[in-house]
Amino acid sequence: MPNAATYKVFVSTWNVGAITPSNSLNLEDWLGTDRDSYDIYVLGFQEIVPLSPRNVLGPERNRVAMKWNSLIGATLNKCCRTEEKKPREVKSEHHHKVHPMKQGGVDHDEFNCIMSKQMVGILISVWARKDLSGLIRNPCVTCVGCGIMGCLKNKGSVSVRFDLREASFCFVCCHLSSGEKEGDQKLRNLNVTHILSKTCFAANNNSSNNSPKKILDHNYIVLFGDLNYRISLADVKMRQLVDQEEWKTLLGNDQLNFELSPRGIFEGWSEGPINFPPTYKYKPNSDEYYGYIYDKSRGEKRRAPAWCDRILWIGKGLKQLCYERCESKLSDHRSVRAIFVADIEV
């Protein structure tokens, strides 16, 4: 593409199981700050608070969201300060490799939170390099509930959009209906239809009238979260295949893979190759899947392993460099992250 700028975008989803992070929680491995630094970070969480009637119906409590944002900001900006002390080679093809620190009592943070929004247990947090602040325009955020009675906000989506140079971006963080029973897959599909049709970005004083209002009108779209699609196999057979690391066979029966096919709800969308174990459901602080020892008398549910946590995208010119899971044992889910490159006309 002539006269193009290249931007690297980090996207991750994490169902944290209503566990409040400690002040000492290390996010460096999750955010990959030991490997590289990116231009934009889009981080989506599910269940940052318990999905109780009090939280669903009561006033929004943002203390936990503020704590997550504080930890994220400290991690990203700590990385920048550490990197600044190290001499490094400047490569001309990467315009974003050098970001000098300002001195003399001026704000040293190289990453700013440009948008953050919570809806009950869903949180989306978007961070960008400070030197992009003049290039990011028309930011907007909106929420759609599709939980109990099809409208409450225990399930649904929080979506953000913005323009970067000549391109429009939309990121949709979702928590879809759970369940392994017959018919639950259709509920998740209905959630997706509801989110895509009902999400509308309202114009504000800072927005252009020409900014896209609907999700699918944007140039680059990433939809991610605890999508809750399961594996359509008998429990015993499924666990045998997980133990044998037969990912290909398991993914052949993955509900979301079917929905990505020409007959599915996500026809035309893309997902990177999955070369990692199912991300759900683990015992607390363990690498062992829940439900191998099953006691029905105690009212336990089996909760079979599944790739619940996924990242999908659509948009010509958006390329995925990596798609992997992370290994924090904070909750019963493993987080998943993806790195994208977008070439944008200048």
Side-chain angles (χ1 to χ4, degrees):
M1 180 185 294
N3 300 321
T6 300
Y7 297 95
K8 293 173 75 174
V9 183
F10 179 107
V11 180
S12 185
T13 176
W14 194 0
N15 185 320
V16 294
I19 297 173
T20 301
S22 67
N23 293 331
S24 61
L25 180 64
N26 190 326
L27 300 182
E28 292 181 16
D29 181 65
W30 173 47
L31 296 176
T33 53
D34 58 334
R35 302 188 303 178
D36 204 347
S37 185
Y38 307 97
D39 297 296
I40 297 171
Y41 290 79
V42 183
L43 310 172
F45 299 86
Q46 304 81 41
E47 295 190 47
I48 65 165
V49 296
L51 302 183
S52 63
R54 179 185 178 190
N55 287 326
V56 173
L57 301 173
E60 187 173 285
R61 295 171 173 82
N62 58 11
R63 178 184 61 84
V64 177
M66 291 172 64
K67 190 162 189 179
W68 277 110
N69 279 330
S70 177
L71 288 167
I72 292 164
T75 303
L76 294 180
N77 288 303
K78 174 187 174 184
C79 167
C80 287
R81 294 175 188 130
T82 302
E83 287 298 311
E84 183 62 25
K85 296 176 182 178
K86 300 176 183 178
R88 54 180 171 176
E89 180 183 358
V90 179
K91 298 182 180 180
S92 59
E93 68 269 24
H94 294 302
H95 68 281
H96 55 271
K97 281 292 181 181
V98 176
H99 298 272
M101 300 295 294
K102 295 182 179 179
Q103 303 297 329
V106 181
D107 180 10
H108 293 285
D109 289 349
E110 291 300 317
F111 282 94
N112 290 333
C113 182
I114 61 172
M115 279 182 285
S116 178
K117 178 65 177 176
Q118 177 186 359
M119 182 185 78
V120 188
I122 302 174
L123 169 67
I124 192 166
S125 185
V126 183
W127 296 72
R129 286 193 181 279
K130 185 185 291 185
D131 57 4
L132 294 183
S133 59
L135 302 176
I136 293 177
R137 310 180 316 281
N138 306 323
C140 193
V141 60
T142 189
C143 304
V144 171
C146 52
I148 302 166
M149 297 183 290
C151 62
L152 292 187
K153 296 179 178 181
N154 59 310
K155 294 290 193 294
S157 66
V158 180
S159 304
V160 301
R161 60 93 47 217
F162 56 83
D163 298 321
L164 175 58
R165 292 191 181 271
E166 305 305 317
S168 58
F169 287 79
C170 184
F171 298 91
V172 186
C173 179
C174 303
H175 194 183
L176 305 184
S177 295
S178 60
E180 303 172 11
K181 303 187 301 296
E182 186 176 350
D184 287 337
Q185 180 178 351
K186 293 181 179 179
L187 285 177
R188 291 185 270 276
N189 291 347
L190 287 172
N191 291 167
V192 173
T193 300
H194 187 76
I195 289 166
L196 293 177
S197 64
K198 296 297 183 182
T199 298
C200 184
F201 296 100
N204 56 45
N205 294 335
N206 297 319
S207 297
S208 164
N209 291 330
N210 296 324
S211 296
K213 302 299 187 290
K214 306 295 289 184
I215 290 173
L216 295 176
D217 293 337
H218 290 77
N219 298 124
Y220 303 123
I221 309 156
V222 183
L223 185 148
F224 59 106
D226 182 358
L227 305 187
N228 256 321
Y229 286 95
R230 307 304 171 97
I231 301 169
S232 298
L233 285 173
D235 187 271
V236 173
K237 177 64 174 176
M238 184 193 314
R239 292 177 189 275
Q240 288 176 346
L241 292 169
V242 169
D243 289 341
Q244 296 164 6
E245 299 186 1
E246 292 287 348
W247 311 142
K248 185 176 180 180
T249 304
L250 288 162
L251 288 165
N253 293 276
D254 177 78
Q255 294 174 354
L256 183 52
N257 272 349
F258 175 79
E259 299 302 339
L260 286 161
S261 73
R263 294 174 292 168
I265 195 74
F266 283 111
E267 180 180 359
W269 291 72
S270 298
E271 182 181 26
I274 294 178
N275 298 310
F276 49 82
T279 57
Y280 172 86
K281 169 180 173 78
Y282 285 92
K283 289 183 178 180
N285 300 308
S286 169
D287 286 322
E288 183 180 339
Y289 287 106
Y290 183 89
Y292 277 94
I293 300 174
Y294 176 55
D295 187 353
K296 188 175 182 180
S297 65
R298 294 168 54 185
E300 291 183 352
K301 298 179 180 179
R302 278 192 180 275
R303 302 296 193 198
W307 284 281
C308 289
D309 310 276
R310 312 285 278 269
I311 301 173
L312 314 179
W313 85 93
I314 190 169
K316 186 178 180 180
L318 191 63
K319 302 173 185 176
Q320 190 180 74
L321 300 183
C322 96
Y323 188 38
E324 60 192 6
R325 77 174 213 168
C326 308
E327 297 305 324
S328 171
K329 301 174 186 177
L330 181 72
S331 77
D332 54 353
H333 288 250
R334 296 293 188 263
S335 60
V336 172
R337 63 189 173 197
I339 311 301
F340 295 95
V341 166
D343 291 324
I344 300 175
E345 184 178 351
V346 176

